[in-house]
Amino acid sequence: MQIPFGEWLPDQPNHLKNGANIAKNVYHAKQSYKPVKSLVAYSSNDIGSICLGAGSFRDGSNNVFNFVATSSDIFQLTSGTFTSRKSGLTGDSTDYFTFTQFGNYVVVSNGIDAPQYYLMGTSTNFANLSTIATEGTPPVFRVSGVIRDFLVTGSQPNNTNRVQWSGINDIGTWTPGKLSADFQDLPGSGGQIVHITSGEVGYIFRQNQIIRMDFVGGSTIFRFSVISSNRGAVYGRTVTQNDRNIFFYSDDGFYQISGDTLIPIGAEKVNRHFDNDLNKAYTDRISAAVDPFNQLAIWSYVSKRSTDGSPDSLLIYNYVTQKWTYADEAASTIFTQFFGAYTVETMDVISQNLEDINISLDTDFWLGGQLYLGAINNNFKAAIFSGKPLDVEIETDELEVVPGKRIKIIGVRPIVDADTTVTIKTREKLSNTPVESIAGTTNASGLNPVRASGRYVRANVKVSAGTDWNHAQGIDIIASEAGTR
């Protein structure tokens, strides 16, 4: 009897959920689970403390610039080395940074210190944004985005509901009325502004409200339209964007915005699981990013299993298949990253075995610019998810294979392209604690000999860390009816 692993649904009961009870260190593809790879650190030094924000950018000449921030410094990552480009910042460990690209400028802010700028290809260090202001003074702000041709900022220290934008195509102009620069205080009880998305239109996330911002020109300049009057983003770094698709965590779960429509992607799937697993003392350490190649939205967070408050878990959503999984991997910050030009020392980031690299050394690939899911690991070094697969555990839902009768299992054939270890968990009634069998490993014929009997049955499949594999689809149980009890 073949049983597919199915969708991971931790918010549903283990019995008859028609989906996997466990889906660890994998992500969901169209017809299978695929492995999550381990983080490979590649920087020669570290940033010294927890990362509070990161950004990856390319200038007009396709040169890559990667920046990360701690509470005291903004670092540039070049050829695997961190160099401080701004020191002496005064925020604390909860004051996260926003990185925004405006043309060849990178603008950085934390809502405490004066906002900073870096002109890619020209600057050596970050400098106060006010030093290039020609009309007015840039405000201190926590978050920013680029909507059409404006740098749009939000959440000022004494006006956390204020949106203020620069002159059109000019981050040196801040005087209201000059080049369409202006500001707007958002009414209502939506709370402080925690995130602003970029694009032809923008979305302003308050704690309990989402507002669409459209450029209309004339004396109006921008039109503000409330698309959600009582739902926002609880924490600013829980918002991540892939073109017009935006993913975020609200106080009632995970959502996606697609064409102004709010889609509850976590309801009855993972919302309760995440709420129970999250260590709420460290909600400021949640970070979100998109893995564009694999079509994944990912949240890194501190679980209740973390012993020191370091992020130790990933919650993963495939926005094409609309299925969730999770991973036990530690990253203080995750972000979509352009990888810079490769050196001999950083070639093994692509593969931990250089003999497996099938890219000719005379191609433009090694000039850099490829997009990866990047991270700063909990040792505060730069890393990407390019190592060997992590250890995997997938468990089927619990079935009554023959309705009203017990069964006897003598073996399981995993539908997985790797050798596995399998156990069977059984119980006679739903109020019992499942009993787990002795593990069976894959033999020469592809069978895992394992013996168990019971009324309610689930199979647990594991793949060892470092094993190369591609697809895990389900199991084939070899069983017969057993006697009644």
Side-chain angles (χ1 to χ4, degrees), residues 6 186 188 211 252 304 319 345 349 351 442:
L186 302 177
I211 298 168
D252 64 341
K304 292 177 180 177
Y319 49 83
E345 288 75 18
V349 173
S351 174
T442 308

Side-chain angles (χ1 to χ4, degrees), residues 13 72 105 136 214 217-218 231 345 364 382 392 448 485:
S72 61
Y105 289 91
D214 291 87
R231 181 175 291 111
E345 288 75 18
D364 290 342
V392 168
N448 290 58
R485 175 180 295 180

Side-chain angles (χ1 to χ4, degrees), residues 361-402:
L361 296 179
D362 60 359
T363 66
D364 290 342
F365 176 91
W366 302 107
L367 298 178
Q370 294 80 29
L371 267 178
Y372 291 92
L373 179 64
I376 304 299
N377 67 17
N378 282 348
N379 292 321
F380 316 128
K381 287 192 170 186
I384 60 173
F385 293 84
S386 65
K388 290 289 188 179
L390 297 167
D391 64 293
V392 168
E393 182 177 4
I394 311 175
E395 185 174 285
T396 67
D397 66 340
E398 187 175 70
L399 298 172
E400 190 175 12
V401 178
V402 181

